[in-house]
C-alpha cells in the first residue's frame, strides 16, 4: 500500500518563509535569508520597533506577524526605495516615518500574497488575507486574535538582511495536516515580479479611486460654497 504524503505546520511555515525571502529579496535587490531552525512559541506578540500583522482564513485560520528592529526596518525600506529608483532626497531617514510603515506594510502584503498563491497551488485549498496592520511601538504587545483556531500552533523564525540586521516572523495557525491522496499537476511556480507588479497595480488603482473620490467631494463642497 502506498504511503500518503502528509503536510504539517512546519511544511506550511517553510512555504511562508520562502515567500517572504523571495519577495523581499526581489523587491529590495538585496538578499534576505531565514534560519534553518524554528522556535516553538506559545503565542504571537507584536514587539519593538516596527510590528506588522496579517490575519488569514479559509482552508485554515491563522495570523502572520513580522517584528522588525529599527535597523532592519530602515534597511529594508531604503533598499526597496533605491531599487524603485527613488532619489536619496526623497527617502526617509527615520524608521518612525509614516513612509517606512507604508512600505513595510505593502511588502508584507506582497509576501503573504505569494504565500496564499503557493498554498492554493501546493495544498489545493484557498485562504484569504486581511490588509496588513503596521505599528511603531516601544513595548511588547500581546494580541488577541479575533478568529477561531483549532488547537493553535505558534512558531517563530529569524530572518537576516544583507547587512545582518535581524527581524522575526511569527506564525500561529490551526493544528492541521494535509494528506495527499493522489498526484496532481502543480501550476507554474509564482514569479515574485508578478506578485509585486500585481500588488503595485492594485495600490495604484486604489490611489486613483481615492483621488477621484476626494476631487468629487471637493467639487461638491465648492458647489455648496464651502
Amino acid at each position: 500500500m502506498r504511503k500518503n504524503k502528509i503536510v504539517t505546520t512546519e511544511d506550511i511555515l517553510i512555504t511562508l518563509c520562502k515567500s517572504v525571502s523571495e519577495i523581499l529579496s526581489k523587491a529590495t535587490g538585496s538578499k534576505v535569508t531565514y534560519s534553518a531552525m524554528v522556535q516553538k512559541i506559545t503565542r504571537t506578540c507584536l514587539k519593538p520597533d516596527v510590528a506588522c500583522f496579517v490575519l488569514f482564513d479559509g482552508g485554515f485560520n491563522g495570523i502572520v506577524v513580522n517584528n522588525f528592529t529599527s535597523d532592519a526596518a530602515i534597511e529594508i525600506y531604503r533598499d526597496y526605495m533605491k531599487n524603485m529608483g527613488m532619489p536619496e532626497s526623497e527617502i526617509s531617514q527615520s524608521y518612525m516615518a509614516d513612509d517606512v510603515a507604508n512600505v513595510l506594510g505593502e511588502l508584507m502584503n506582497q509576501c503573504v500574497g505569494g504565500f496564499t498563491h503557493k498554498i492554493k497551488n501546493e495544498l489545493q485549498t484557498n485562504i484569504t488575507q486581511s490588509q496588513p496592520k503596521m505599528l511603531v511601538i516601544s513595548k511588547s504587545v500581546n494580541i488577541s486574535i479575533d478568529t477561531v483556531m483549532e488547537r493553535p500552533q505558534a512558531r517563530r523564525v529569524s530572518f537576516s538582511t544583507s547587512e545582518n540586521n535581524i527581524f522575526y516572523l511569527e506564525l500561529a495557525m490551526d493544528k492541521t495536516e494535509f494528506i495527499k491522496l493522489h498526484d496532481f499537476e502543480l501550476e507554474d511556480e509564482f514569479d515574485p515580479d508578478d506578485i509585486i507588479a500585481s500588488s503595485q497595480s492594485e495600490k495604484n488603482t486604489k490611489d486613483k479611486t481615492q483621488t477621484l473620490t476626494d476631487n468629487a467631494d471637493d467639487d461638491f463642497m465648492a458647489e455648496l460654497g464651502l
Side-chain angles (χ1 to χ4, degrees):
M1 180 179 292
R2 180 170 62 88
K3 184 178 180 180
N4 295 325
K5 179 182 177 181
I6 298 177
V7 177
T8 65
T9 300
E10 277 65 38
D11 296 314
I12 294 173
L13 177 62
I14 290 173
T15 297
L16 174 60
C17 289
K18 286 181 177 179
S19 176
V20 172
S21 177
E22 291 171 2
I23 293 292
L24 289 185
S25 295
K26 192 71 175 181
T28 63
S30 301
K31 192 172 184 180
V32 176
T33 59
Y34 60 92
S35 171
M37 299 296 292
V38 58
Q39 181 182 2
K40 287 187 176 182
I41 55 179
T42 56
R43 62 182 182 273
T44 58
C45 182
L46 301 182
K47 296 181 178 180
D49 295 298
V50 182
C52 178
F53 69 93
V54 176
L55 298 170
F56 61 85
D57 56 25
F60 52 92
N61 300 323
I63 183 173
V64 179
V65 173
N66 270 351
N67 290 314
F68 298 92
T69 61
S70 58
D71 290 338
I74 200 68
E75 179 191 345
I76 291 172
Y77 159 76
R78 290 178 62 83
D79 284 349
Y80 172 77
M81 297 297 279
K82 290 178 181 178
N83 200 39
M84 293 289 289
M86 297 296 291
E88 187 72 27
S89 60
E90 296 184 18
I91 299 178
S92 299
Q93 303 299 314
S94 171
Y95 77 92
M96 300 180 70
D98 290 341
D99 198 28
V100 176
N102 291 337
V103 166
L104 292 178
E106 179 58 33
L107 290 174
M108 182 70 163
N109 189 49
Q110 294 171 13
C111 291
V112 180
F115 169 64
T116 59
H117 180 91
K118 284 176 175 283
I119 290 299
K120 180 179 180 181
N121 189 28
E122 297 174 5
L123 300 184
Q124 302 285 287
T125 191
N126 289 292
I127 55 175
T128 57
Q129 68 193 70
S130 67
Q131 284 297 313
K133 304 298 181 184
M134 296 292 305
L135 294 171
V136 178
I137 54 179
S138 58
K139 295 182 179 180
S140 298
V141 179
N142 291 326
I143 53 177
S144 177
I145 306 169
D146 188 19
T147 186
V148 177
M149 286 196 291
E150 298 180 6
R151 297 178 297 163
Q153 303 284 292
R155 304 286 188 268
R156 178 188 294 129
V157 179
S158 64
F159 281 71
S160 299
T161 66
S162 60
E163 296 182 7
N164 294 319
N165 289 312
I166 305 297
F167 66 93
Y168 296 91
L169 178 146
E170 297 182 2
L171 169 69
M173 58 171 285
D174 294 329
K175 179 176 175 59
T176 186
E177 292 182 345
F178 286 84
I179 302 171
K180 186 176 182 180
L181 299 179
H182 57 77
D183 293 333
F184 54 85
E185 290 187 7
L186 294 176
E187 298 177 5
D188 293 335
E189 187 69 13
F190 87 91
D191 186 340
D193 284 334
D194 293 339
I195 297 293
I196 294 171
S198 176
S199 180
Q200 190 62 42
S201 176
E202 290 179 5
K203 181 177 182 300
N204 291 339
T205 299
K206 289 179 181 178
D207 289 345
K208 289 179 181 179
T209 301
Q210 184 62 47
T211 299
L212 290 173
T213 301
D214 292 343
N215 289 341
D217 290 341
D218 290 342
D219 291 342
F220 178 69
M221 297 298 287
E223 289 178 5
L224 295 177
L226 300 176

